[in-house]
Amino acid sequence: MNVLVLGGGGREHSLCWAIKQNPRCDTLYCAPGNAGIAEVAICRELDICDRIQVSEFCKRKEIEFVVVGPEAPLAHGIADALRSDGLLVFGPGQAAASLETSKAFTKGICDSAGISTARYAVFDDPEKARAHVRECELPVVVKDDGLAAGKGVTVARSATEAIEAIDSIFDKQDGGRNAPDALVVIEEFLDGEEASFFVLTDGETVLPFGTARDYKRAFDGDSGPNTGGMGALSPAPAMTTEVVQRALDDVIHPTLDQLRRRGIRYQGVLYAGLMIRNGHPSLLEYNVRFGDPECQVLMIRLGAQAFDAMHACAKGTLRDTRVNWAPDHAITVVMATRGYPGRVVNGSAIKGLDRISATSSFRVFHAATARSRDGLTATGGRVLNVTVRSDSAPGARRTVYESIGQIDWQQGFFRSDIGK
Ligand code: AMP
Ligand code: GLY
C-alpha cells in the first residue's frame, strides 16, 4: 500500500525509516519531510494542516494509510477529514486531540476519573493569576493552556519568575490584541522521576507501546531552559512492570473511559507524561502523538513491526496485534543549533555524517536539515538525532557519543549526559 507520513522532524524520520522497512509499504511519501527523510521517502511540500490539500494529495497518489506525526494537524482535524474520505489514519480526531490542545480539558478528565495529577487552577485573567501565584507554595508550575511545542511550561522558583511567565503567556496569546481565549494553568510542583509512557489504542484495545525517559532541559545536569527534548532513553528506568500496570489501571484506562462517556473515540498513540513517586504515577500531561525524540528510541527498538501495529490501530484490529520487545536499550542524543531553544541562525554546514555508516541498530535521524550544492545544512533548532540500540544502556551510550565525535558541526551543541 502507499503510505503518507505527515511531518518533517526527527520523529517523522524515524517513523518513515521503520515504515519503509516493512514489505507491506509500497511507495512512501512524507510531507514536508527533510533532507534525511528524502533518503527513505518521497518528500512533498504540503500545508499539512490544510484538510483539502492533504485530502487531494492522497487521492492523487492513491494513498491508503496516513500516519500523522505532529500535533498541529491533529488539532486542525486532519484525521477526521481523511477518515471521512475513507482512508486509514493513525492519529486521533480533533475532539480527542483536546487531551493535548487543552490542559484544562485534561485536568477536567482527571477530576472526573479521580486520576492522580498536580493540583491546579485555571485563569483567564492575568491579574487573578498573578495574585494566585503570590499565595502559592514554591516552586510553582506555570503553563500555557494551549499548544506550545514543549516550551509553554515554566517551573518557577520565585513569585517574580512565575509572574514573568504568566505575563509572557498572556502577551503571546494576545499577540498585542485582546484574546478572549487566553488561559494559563497554574499547578503544584510534583517531585519524583519523570517518564514517558506510550500506548496505542483503537478506541477499544489498549496496547502498551514502550516507555522512555526524555531529557527536557537544554544543558547537562538538567540545567537551562525547558526544550522539546534533548535526548531520550528507552526503556525508562522508572517504568517497572508494576508501574506500567498502575499507569494502565489508574491513568490510561480511566481516561479512555471518560472520553467514551463524552462520545469521543481515541484512535492513535496516546503519550502520558508521568511523574513517578514511590512507585505511583501521577499525570503531568497528555500528548496525542509520539514524543520527539522519544519516538526515535521506540522506532529503533521496534523496526518494521511498528508499521503493523500502527496500521492495526488505524484499522481497529489492535486486539489481534502483538509487539515483540527485545531486552534491549536505546538512546538518542539531540544535536541542536547553538541558541536553541531561543532564536537560532539557520544554514550552518554539517560535515562528517558520511563517515558513520547506518545499520539496523544505529541511525542518525534528521530533525531539521536541507541539502544544497555545498552539502548538508541545519534548518532549525533541533537538527540531528544520533540514535543507537544495544544490549545495555551503557553500551548504547558509548556508541552514541563515539559517533557524535565523528560529526563536524561548528554551530551544534548537545548534552553529554544522556542515559547516564
Ligand atoms: P508538560 O509540557 O506539561 O509535560 O511540562 C513540561 C515539563 O515541565 C515536564 O516534562 C516536567 O519536567 C515539568 N513539569 C510540568 N508540570 C510539572 C509539575 N506539576 N511538577 C513538576 N514538574 C512539572
Ligand atoms: N519530547 C517531548 C515531547 O515530544 O512532547
Side-chain angles (χ1 to χ4, degrees):
M1 71 189 88
N2 294 343
V3 181
L4 170 65
V5 173
L6 297 183
R11 168 180 47 213
E12 289 76 24
H13 191 182
S14 71
L15 288 168
C16 285
W17 171 76
I19 290 168
K20 191 60 192 172
Q21 287 179 71
N22 194 305
R24 292 167 74 199
C25 174
D26 290 321
T27 307
L28 176 62
Y29 296 91
C30 183
N34 64 38
I37 295 175
E39 289 165 16
V40 285
I42 300 171
C43 295
R44 284 289 181 273
E45 278 300 331
L46 287 181
D47 176 352
I48 61 172
C49 292
D50 181 330
R51 300 169 177 221
I52 294 169
Q53 253 191 57
V54 176
S55 164
E56 280 175 355
F57 180 81
C58 290
K59 283 185 194 125
R60 226 169 36 245
K61 300 296 180 186
E62 297 179 335
I63 307 282
E64 272 180 59
F65 178 37
V66 181
V67 175
V68 187
E71 60 278 15
L74 296 168
H76 278 85
I78 204 79
D80 308 285
L82 298 176
R83 281 195 186 106
S84 70
D85 287 346
L87 296 182
L88 287 180
V89 184
F90 180 77
Q94 192 168 38
S98 304
L99 283 178
E100 177 164 0
T101 56
S102 168
K103 294 190 193 292
F105 175 84
T106 297
K107 287 292 193 184
I109 296 260
C110 290
D111 287 346
S112 312
I115 295 168
S116 168
T117 186
R119 276 173 298 152
Y120 72 103
V122 185
F123 296 91
D124 59 3
D125 176 348
E127 196 46 59
K128 289 191 177 135
R130 287 189 213 108
H132 178 76
V133 292
R134 288 194 194 98
E135 306 295 315
C136 282
E137 235 177 81
L138 295 170
V140 64
V141 184
V142 179
K143 299 185 175 185
D144 188 334
D145 179 65
L147 295 179
K151 295 176 218 160
V153 176
T154 303
V155 178
R157 310 265 155 201
S158 67
T160 313
E161 199 185 340
I163 287 167
E164 273 170 20
I166 291 167
D167 290 347
S168 97
I169 290 169
F170 280 104
D171 285 352
K172 191 182 86 219
Q173 293 194 346
D174 278 350
R177 298 179 307 277
N178 221 357
D181 52 353
L183 287 180
V184 57
V185 178
I186 296 175
E187 66 179 42
E188 163 199 22
F189 176 79
L190 297 181
D191 221 350
E193 194 172 342
E194 221 177 313
S196 306
F197 180 42
F198 300 88
V199 300
L200 302 194
T201 176
D202 55 9
E204 290 186 11
T205 304
V206 171
L207 179 72
F209 210 59
T211 66
R213 182 201 188 300
D214 183 17
Y215 292 74
K216 288 227 163 71
R217 299 300 187 113
F219 309 125
D220 281 13
D222 289 331
S223 61
N226 258 324
T227 70
M230 292 299 292
L233 165 70
S234 175
M239 294 300 285
T240 59
T241 314
E242 213 175 29
V243 177
V244 165
Q245 195 56 51
R246 285 199 184 118
L248 287 168
D249 295 342
D250 302 344
V251 181
I252 302 291
H253 284 297
T255 299
L256 296 172
D257 285 345
Q258 284 298 323
L259 290 183
R260 271 190 292 268
R261 279 176 198 224
R262 290 163 165 78
I264 300 172
R265 178 179 188 190
Y266 194 107
Q267 215 167 359
V269 58
L270 180 60
Y271 154 5
L274 302 173
M275 190 66 90
I276 323 294
R277 292 173 299 172
N278 305 321
H280 288 273
S282 294
L283 183 71
L284 285 180
E285 63 157 355
Y286 273 128
N287 294 303
V288 298
R289 34 108 193 144
F290 283 114
D292 187 346
E294 294 101 312
C295 187
Q296 290 81 316
V297 281
L298 299 182
M299 290 305 130
I300 201 123
R301 294 185 65 203
L302 286 166
Q305 56 176 333
F307 174 88
D308 295 318
M310 292 191 289
H311 187 254
C313 180
K315 222 169 136 192
T317 57
L318 261 191
R319 199 182 343 169
D320 310 320
T321 306
R322 299 281 170 276
V323 285
N324 295 311
W325 290 99
D328 56 6
H329 300 259
I331 286 181
T332 189
V333 174
V334 172
M335 297 183 78
T337 307
R338 283 181 207 284
Y340 176 78
R343 219 200 290 244
V344 300
V345 179
N346 288 341
S348 54
I350 303 168
K351 297 202 163 63
L353 273 189
D354 40 2
R355 282 202 286 267
I356 33 190
S357 43
T359 66
S360 63
S361 54
F362 175 83
R363 286 275 136 174
V364 180
F365 294 120
H366 292 217
T369 58
R371 208 172 279 285
S372 70
R373 251 178 296 139
D374 304 328
L376 198 66
T377 58
T379 58
R382 295 189 294 170
V383 173
L384 298 173
N385 312 140
V386 184
T387 310
V388 173
R389 172 167 62 87
S390 175
D391 292 343
S392 72
R397 219 178 104 71
R398 214 172 312 118
T399 313
V400 138
Y401 283 107
E402 275 167 16
S403 311
I404 286 179
Q406 314 254 318
I407 299 173
D408 173 12
W409 177 28
Q410 298 301 313
Q411 288 311 310
F413 80 97
F414 57 89
R415 276 182 63 160
S416 62
D417 61 350
I418 305 300
K420 208 167 180 174

